[in-house]
Amino acid sequence: MDINNYTPSYSGLYGKNFVSVENLSPEEIYEVLYTAKLLKLKTAAGERLTSLFLKNIVMLSKTSEPGLRITFEVAIRKLCGNIVNLSLGGKQLENLVATGDTLTVAKN
């Protein structure tokens, strides 16, 4: 399927959170790609994007790889979001996930 010929349904991703693309169906992946394309076009047209206005995004990582971290920070800031970076060692991150002390998402 070509993303340029894709017609969005916008139903599959509402309120859904995902950590990996492996958790998404092909239809949901196209929804993500279509939305990314739409946001890129809006940015190129000079529109200010406020999708993450008053939202706090926590970025968890095993390592503090600067290139990837900076890329996500710039993207979140372009969408008017706030960022909290947590670089946890491998064992610390595993313990956080294993104990169930994962972050919950508050829906506004």
Side-chain angles (χ1 to χ4, degrees):
M1 184 185 306
D2 182 4
I3 193 66
N4 295 314
N5 298 325
Y6 177 72
T7 304
S9 66
Y10 292 113
S11 60
L13 294 176
Y14 184 76
K16 186 169 185 172
N17 303 301
F18 60 92
V19 175
S20 170
V21 72
E22 294 172 353
N23 299 331
L24 299 178
S25 70
E27 177 73 16
E28 291 169 330
I29 292 171
Y30 275 100
E31 290 282 334
V32 171
L33 293 174
Y34 182 84
T35 302
K37 180 182 171 187
L38 185 62
L39 291 174
K40 187 174 181 179
L41 290 171
K42 287 181 177 184
T43 300
E47 187 174 331
R48 184 169 186 248
L49 304 174
T50 58
S51 303
L52 297 178
F53 184 66
L54 297 178
K55 304 286 186 200
N56 296 307
I57 308 299
V58 178
M59 295 190 339
L60 296 172
S61 62
K62 287 185 180 181
T63 61
S64 58
E65 184 163 337
L68 186 61
R69 181 182 54 80
I70 291 168
T71 300
F72 277 101
E73 284 186 18
V74 168
I76 292 167
R77 295 242 187 253
K78 279 187 175 183
L79 297 172
C80 296
N82 300 314
I83 305 160
V84 176
N85 279 308
L86 295 177
S87 291
L88 303 174
K91 201 63 172 169
Q92 290 174 309
L93 188 57
E94 288 173 21
N95 289 341
L96 179 70
V97 173
T99 60
D101 291 336
T102 55
L103 303 173
T104 56
V105 178
K107 294 185 171 108
N108 294 344

